[in-house]
Amino acid sequence: MLIMGSTSFSPSLSLSPSFSPHSSKFPNPNPNLFLRSHSSFTPLTLRSNQTRYRFKKLPSSNAPNFLVAASAKAEPLKVIISGAPASGKGTQCELITQKLFIQYGLVHIAAGDLLRAEVAAASENGKLAKEYMEKGELVPDEIVVMMVKERLLQPDSQQRGWLLDGYPRSSSQAAALEDYGIRPDVFILLDVSEDILVERVVGRRLDPLTGKIYHLKYSPPENDEITSRLTQRFDDTEEKVKLRLRTHHQNVDAVLSVYKDITVKVNGNEAKEHVFAQIDAALTHVGEQRKVNSGSVAA
């Protein structure tokens, strides 16, 4: 029995004489290893770690009956992160893309940033969106969904996986993604109490000179000069934020109904490092589960 990595290969397969394990010419085991089939051989798929091997006959009428193992890597991870205004989505997305880049390499996609970029680039979708934005109207779901879909289908997103930030925000948006066959492996919901959300929003301040966001309590400005020029967004008031939170809670319940079987709620009341640790553990669990499921399919 030949052992490759952690996978045992069936004894119904034998090595070609030219690749005898007793020969000095025998190469190191690898996914391109040629194997000779017996007449009773039945094609099968074998798995080693995250790689599956599918044995196929070489198309040659004159050559001996050989088989080649072709590798197929596991699908990249697909993640949606959601939460109320000031729940910390942006901070956690930054930590995920930076600290877990080597492990996952996810492409961070924020619908708001995507919309602004499409408008700036004057793309077809961007031109359509701009017409509504200039009239002060909400951009229709079908336009935003099309932008998100096209971005998720770009080569980098397909090869590395993606981290979709703050989208979908309604059941209709979630249903539209489902219709396009776009579904995450995990839906992470940052769960933060309303009192803390209100405090975070009301205390936010913007430095118009640098564009940096401060918080009077959690991330105060470095000096009095910066403090003197800080501004507050017109909708960062307690009254306005409570209205936005009501809308968010109504919509998120509908979105959760679409992703209820893959939702992971994370306690967002804690410090950002502790929140990130919860997310890291959730992604690790999903990755391990995908390996198990992949092995079951291969078997």
Side-chain angles (χ1 to χ4, degrees), residues 233-263:
R233 275 176 45 171
F234 75 94
D235 56 349
D236 278 356
T237 63
E238 183 171 348
E239 182 182 0
K240 293 285 180 63
V241 72
K242 285 186 175 179
L243 181 62
R244 286 156 61 194
L245 289 175
R246 254 196 313 273
T247 302
H248 165 77
H249 292 316
Q250 291 170 354
N251 289 332
V252 78
D253 288 340
V255 173
L256 286 176
S257 67
V258 177
Y259 300 119
K260 59 184 177 182
D261 57 328
I262 56 171
T263 295

Side-chain angles (χ1 to χ4, degrees), residues 109-131 133 139 143-152 154:
I109 301 169
D113 294 343
L114 184 60
L115 180 61
R116 287 185 285 272
E118 291 279 339
V119 171
S123 67
E124 196 62 37
N125 287 324
K127 291 176 183 176
L128 292 173
K130 188 176 181 181
E131 293 178 9
M133 294 169 71
V139 180
I143 296 177
V144 182
V145 168
M146 188 61 66
M147 289 181 181
V148 172
K149 183 203 76 167
E150 291 178 358
R151 183 64 187 90
L152 294 177
Q154 289 294 313

Side-chain angles (χ1 to χ4, degrees), residues 85-86 194-206 213-218 231-242 244-245:
E194 184 165 313
D195 289 346
I196 292 179
L197 289 172
V198 170
E199 183 184 41
R200 288 178 181 178
V201 172
V202 173
R204 285 194 305 205
R205 295 293 185 274
L206 169 69
I213 300 293
Y214 291 93
H215 192 281
L216 298 181
K217 179 179 179 180
Y218 300 112
T231 61
Q232 183 180 26
R233 275 176 45 171
F234 75 94
D235 56 349
D236 278 356
T237 63
E238 183 171 348
E239 182 182 0
K240 293 285 180 63
V241 72
K242 285 186 175 179
R244 286 156 61 194
L245 289 175

Side-chain angles (χ1 to χ4, degrees), residues 96 100 103-104 188 275-285:
I96 292 169
L100 300 180
Q103 187 173 356
Y104 300 111
I188 295 174
V275 175
F276 173 69
Q278 295 176 65
I279 295 174
D280 187 11
L283 295 182
T284 299
H285 176 75

Side-chain angles (χ1 to χ4, degrees), residues 18-35:
S18 62
F19 292 99
S20 168
H22 302 295
S23 167
S24 60
K25 298 180 180 180
F26 181 71
N28 292 328
N30 62 71
N32 297 315
L33 183 65
F34 286 88
L35 301 174

Side-chain angles (χ1 to χ4, degrees), residues 16-282:
S16 167
S18 62
F19 292 99
S20 168
H22 302 295
S23 167
S24 60
K25 298 180 180 180
F26 181 71
N28 292 328
N30 62 71
N32 297 315
L33 183 65
F34 286 88
L35 301 174
R36 185 178 63 189
S37 70
H38 291 298
S39 59
S40 61
F41 174 74
T42 300
L44 74 161
T45 302
L46 300 175
R47 178 176 171 277
S48 176
N49 295 331
Q50 294 186 14
T51 304
R52 290 179 291 173
Y53 301 95
R54 183 75 184 177
F55 292 92
K56 301 178 181 179
K57 291 185 178 181
L58 291 176
S60 174
S61 57
N62 299 322
N65 190 18
F66 284 98
L67 299 170
V68 62
S71 64
K73 291 185 177 179
E75 289 291 319
L77 193 62
K78 300 179 285 290
V79 181
I80 289 179
I81 186 167
S82 180
S87 61
K89 295 188 301 295
T91 298
Q92 293 306 318
C93 285
E94 185 177 345
L95 290 172
I96 292 169
T97 52
Q98 289 179 355
K99 295 193 175 185
L100 300 180
F101 180 80
I102 295 177
Q103 187 173 356
Y104 300 111
L106 302 177
V107 177
H108 179 207
I109 301 169
D113 294 343
L114 184 60
L115 180 61
R116 287 185 285 272
E118 291 279 339
V119 171
S123 67
E124 196 62 37
N125 287 324
K127 291 176 183 176
L128 292 173
K130 188 176 181 181
E131 293 178 9
Y132 290 92
M133 294 169 71
E134 288 179 340
K135 291 184 290 186
E137 299 177 1
L138 291 176
V139 180
D141 280 352
E142 55 266 27
I143 296 177
V144 182
V145 168
M146 188 61 66
M147 289 181 181
V148 172
K149 183 203 76 167
E150 291 178 358
R151 183 64 187 90
L152 294 177
L153 294 179
Q154 289 294 313
D156 59 344
S157 301
Q158 291 291 296
Q159 294 166 9
R160 293 164 45 193
W162 43 261
L163 172 63
L164 187 54
D165 174 2
Y167 193 90
R169 295 182 180 179
S170 67
S171 58
S172 60
Q173 293 172 352
L177 290 181
E178 293 278 303
D179 289 342
Y180 285 121
I182 297 172
R183 185 172 178 80
D185 297 303
V186 59
F187 183 91
I188 295 174
L189 178 64
L190 299 180
D191 191 18
V192 184
S193 66
E194 184 165 313
D195 289 346
I196 292 179
L197 289 172
V198 170
E199 183 184 41
R200 288 178 181 178
V201 172
V202 173
R204 285 194 305 205
R205 295 293 185 274
L206 169 69
D207 182 348
L209 190 63
T210 64
K212 184 176 179 179
I213 300 293
Y214 291 93
H215 192 281
L216 298 181
K217 179 179 179 180
Y218 300 112
S219 180
E222 293 85 354
N223 53 58
D224 292 339
E225 180 184 352
I226 297 176
T227 302
S228 64
R229 64 174 184 251
L230 293 182
T231 61
Q232 183 180 26
R233 275 176 45 171
F234 75 94
D235 56 349
D236 278 356
T237 63
E238 183 171 348
E239 182 182 0
K240 293 285 180 63
V241 72
K242 285 186 175 179
L243 181 62
R244 286 156 61 194
L245 289 175
R246 254 196 313 273
T247 302
H248 165 77
H249 292 316
Q250 291 170 354
N251 289 332
V252 78
D253 288 340
V255 173
L256 286 176
S257 67
V258 177
Y259 300 119
K260 59 184 177 182
D261 57 328
I262 56 171
T263 295
V264 175
K265 284 190 177 182
V266 171
N267 182 2
N269 294 318
E270 301 183 3
K272 63 181 181 180
E273 295 81 7
H274 296 155
V275 175
F276 173 69
Q278 295 176 65
I279 295 174
D280 187 11

